[in-house]
């Protein structure tokens, strides 16, 4: 059974890999602007975005991801987005972000703001790429750093009705990853600007991003799902768990749903989620934690309706943890790359070996592998990511 929550989460996991371009279109307007709510400023930004077609959307995406150099068409489009970007700059200075005060989820569009926020993220990072190409490294890095309040706002101050907190989390982290990847590509060309790198070092040293760890959305979703697993909330549970086309499965579920079964499902689900949260809060290696989460995911008896319901209600524990550690790895690479470039500025050359005391590779818990290249240097993880088998590396091409 593919749940409504987790089918959307799967789509967003794919988007984190960069396979799904941003989608154009305007969200519905349901409330007047509110100066104390960042969501109001984002809504204005949506309405101010320049119109584009699918071909232009794809071009913006490729530039934002660093897969294509910005051309005249991209620059012209971004010129038309200046007012929208100004609204995002204003939103970044507003602490509170209440999406439900601005957008009303509907049956055809339960996430009316997520698509547009993704579109804005690509516009902002594409603008950073243009600034990098023009030698405005400070402006480029400021755009990338805007992804931090942007991501916190996307994660939301409170859960949104009909929307899984893990879906909000995935959307937020996707934007943060896009910004960090761009920063990796800016640091190298800016390697001769010591004052700029010292400023960046001070900025990223405070970027713990603890509020974007997967523990927070897991706790929120756990509370929501436990509340839904009651007979008086059966309709809401069905809406959360089933796609609209699974009518036969819904009938089968209604036939076995009763208070006894739901009580057992709540206990099983709660125990599994508590085990996952405990594991995520316990210091252990990437391999150990991934194996523990995978074991929790497999603890199900498909012949027991209560166990099957508990399993269907679980988020993708190991996959979401993988997204978290990927984000942490990018931030560590940004910090380490900045330190190496500062070392080069002081010594006049790149170090032959990695200087001590730099941020670690979260996949291994050890120093990154360091390789000097003709263009600059590369930082490489020592452990491959499970499932994707990717060995993450970060190339810093100096000016």
């Amino acid at each position: 059974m593919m749940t409504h929550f987790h089918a959307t989460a799967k789509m967003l996991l794919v988007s984190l890999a960069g396979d799904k371009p941003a989608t154009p279109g305007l969200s519905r307007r349901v409330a007047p602007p509110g100066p104390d709510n960042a969501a109001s400023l984002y809504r204005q930004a949506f309405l101010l975005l320049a119109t584009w077609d699918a071909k232009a959307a794809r071009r913006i995406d490729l530039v934002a991801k660093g897969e294509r150099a910005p051309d005249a068409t991209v620059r012209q489009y971004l010129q038309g987005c200046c007012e929208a970007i100004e609204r995002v700059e204003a939103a970044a200075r507003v602490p509170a972000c209440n999406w439900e005060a601005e957008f009303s989820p509907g049956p055809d569009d339960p996430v009316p703001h997520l698509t547009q926020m993704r579109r804005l993220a690509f516009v902002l990072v594409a603008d950073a790429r243009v600034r990098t190409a023009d030698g405005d490294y400070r402006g480029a890095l400021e755009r990338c750093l805007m992804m931090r309040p942007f991501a916190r706002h996307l994660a939301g101050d409170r859960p949104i009705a009909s929307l899984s907190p893990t879906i909000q989390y995935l959307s937020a982290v996707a934007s943060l990853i896009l910004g960090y990847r761009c920063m990796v590509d800016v640091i190298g060309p800016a390697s001769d600007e010591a004052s700029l790198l010292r400023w960046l070092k001070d900025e990223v040293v405070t970027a713990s991003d603890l509020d974007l760890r997967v523990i927070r959305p897991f706790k929120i979703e756990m509370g929501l799902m436990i509340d839904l697993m009651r007979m008086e909330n059966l309709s809401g549970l069905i809406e959360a768990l089933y796609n609209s086309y699974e009518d036969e499965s819904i009938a089968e579920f209604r036939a076995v749903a009763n208070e006894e079964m739901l009580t057992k499902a709540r206990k099983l689900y709660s125990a599994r989620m508590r085990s996952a949260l405990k594991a995520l809060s316990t210091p252990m290696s990437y391999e150990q934690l991934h194996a523990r989460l995978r074991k929790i995911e497999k603890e199900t008896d498909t012949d027991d309706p209560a166990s099957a319901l508990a399993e269907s209600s679980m988020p993708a524990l190991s996959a979401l943890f993988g997204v978290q550690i990927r984000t942490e790895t990018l931030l560590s690479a940004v910090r380490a790359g900045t330190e190496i470039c500062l070392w080069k500025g002081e010594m006049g050359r790149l170090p032959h070996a990695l200087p001590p005391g730099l941020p670690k590779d979260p996949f291994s818990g050890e120093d990154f592998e360091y390789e000097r290249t003709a263009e600059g240097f590369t930082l490489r993880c020592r452990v491959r990511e499970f499932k994707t088998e990717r060995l993450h590396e970060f190339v810093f091409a100096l000016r």
Side-chain angles (χ1 to χ4, degrees):
M1 172 173 62
M2 175 66 75
T3 70
H4 173 70
F5 276 0
H6 302 142
T8 310
K10 182 178 180 181
M11 175 192 73
L12 288 167
L13 281 167
V14 170
S15 78
L16 284 169
D19 296 326
K20 186 177 179 60
T23 305
L26 287 176
S27 292
R28 61 181 69 89
R29 182 173 182 170
V30 298
D36 298 327
N37 185 7
S40 176
L41 290 161
Y42 287 122
R43 175 174 54 76
Q44 293 176 52
F46 301 160
L47 297 169
L48 287 166
L49 280 178
T51 57
W52 57 357
D53 57 22
K55 185 176 181 180
R58 181 63 177 166
R59 186 173 297 186
I60 290 289
D61 289 4
L62 292 174
V63 170
K65 291 185 289 187
E67 298 176 8
R68 177 179 181 143
D71 56 19
T73 301
V74 168
R75 290 173 181 271
Q76 182 178 7
Y77 175 76
L78 292 175
Q79 281 292 319
C81 297
C82 289
E83 288 188 84
I85 292 174
E86 288 176 1
R87 296 303 192 281
V88 179
E89 290 173 331
R93 297 189 290 269
V94 178
C97 188
N98 179 1
W99 291 107
E100 285 198 312
E102 296 294 326
F103 296 93
S104 176
D108 298 326
D109 189 5
V111 288
H113 65 292
L114 294 189
T115 298
Q116 293 303 320
M117 286 294 278
R118 177 166 169 78
R119 183 185 177 199
L120 268 180
F122 274 87
V123 166
L124 290 167
V125 179
D127 185 62
R129 298 282 185 182
V130 169
R131 290 169 181 262
T132 304
D134 294 343
D136 179 11
Y137 305 127
R138 173 68 180 244
L141 291 170
E142 286 176 344
R143 282 282 181 268
C144 294
L145 288 169
M146 279 178 62
M147 290 296 100
R148 289 159 59 187
F150 186 95
R152 285 195 296 272
H153 287 155
L154 246 178
D157 297 328
R158 65 190 73 180
I160 298 173
S162 303
L163 177 59
S164 164
T166 54
I167 294 174
Q168 291 178 256
Y169 170 79
L170 284 170
S171 300
V173 171
S175 301
L176 199 58
I177 286 175
L178 193 66
Y180 284 155
R181 283 176 177 163
C182 183
M183 289 175 74
V184 167
D185 293 339
V186 179
I187 290 168
S191 60
D192 292 336
E193 301 186 18
S195 61
L196 175 61
L197 292 180
R198 283 192 290 270
W199 165 79
L200 178 63
K201 176 183 175 180
D202 291 341
E203 289 291 325
V204 297
V205 78
T206 61
S208 64
D209 296 320
L210 289 178
D211 53 343
L212 286 172
R213 291 176 60 191
V214 77
I215 286 178
R216 177 179 179 269
F218 279 175
K219 285 181 176 179
I220 298 172
E221 185 157 321
M222 179 180 173
L224 293 173
M225 291 306 301
I226 288 175
D227 187 56
L228 284 175
M229 289 181 190
R230 303 179 188 277
M231 283 302 294
E232 62 267 28
N233 296 329
L234 190 61
S235 296
L237 179 62
I238 289 172
E239 182 180 352
L241 293 180
Y242 289 92
N243 290 320
S244 59
Y245 57 81
E246 295 180 306
D247 294 336
E248 183 177 344
S249 298
I250 292 174
E252 293 174 0
F253 177 72
R254 285 187 181 276
V256 298
N258 55 55
E259 194 59 59
E260 181 182 359
M261 187 273 275
L262 292 177
T263 298
K264 182 179 179 181
R266 284 199 305 273
K267 291 179 179 179
L268 291 172
Y269 171 82
S270 180
R272 292 175 191 174
M273 288 298 294
R274 285 199 304 269
S275 294
L277 291 169
K278 181 179 179 180
L280 287 162
S281 302
T282 303
M284 62 180 81
S285 70
Y286 166 68
E287 294 98 325
Q288 290 172 327
L289 184 48
H290 184 273
R292 176 63 185 141
L293 294 175
R294 288 292 294 152
K295 181 180 179 182
I296 294 170
E297 288 176 328
K298 295 177 180 178
E299 293 174 354
T300 185
D301 178 1
T302 55
D303 293 328
D304 179 358
S307 182
L309 173 58
E311 189 275 333
S312 298
S313 304
M314 294 288 291
L317 299 174
S318 58
L320 287 160
F321 167 62
V323 172
Q324 174 189 304
I325 199 167
R326 207 179 307 154
T327 311
E328 293 172 352
T329 302
L330 266 164
L331 178 57
S332 289
V334 165
R335 288 171 168 165
T338 302
E339 293 280 9
I340 292 168
C341 287
L342 280 169
W343 195 98
K344 172 185 174 293
E346 294 174 1
M347 300 298 181
R349 59 174 176 80
L350 285 172
H352 291 289
L354 203 64
L358 296 190
K360 305 293 184 182
D361 157 28
F363 280 97
S364 66
E366 302 175 7
D367 287 336
F368 286 99
E369 288 185 0
Y370 168 71
E371 179 186 0
R372 296 205 309 177
T373 64
E375 294 78 22
F377 62 94
T378 298
L379 297 176
R380 190 174 295 110
C381 294
R382 296 179 180 272
V383 173
R384 291 184 181 275
E385 183 178 353
F386 287 111
K387 192 173 182 179
T388 66
E389 288 297 315
R390 289 179 60 193
L391 187 65
H392 295 278
E393 65 176 28
F394 309 96
V395 177
F396 294 80
L398 307 187
R399 182 158 53 187

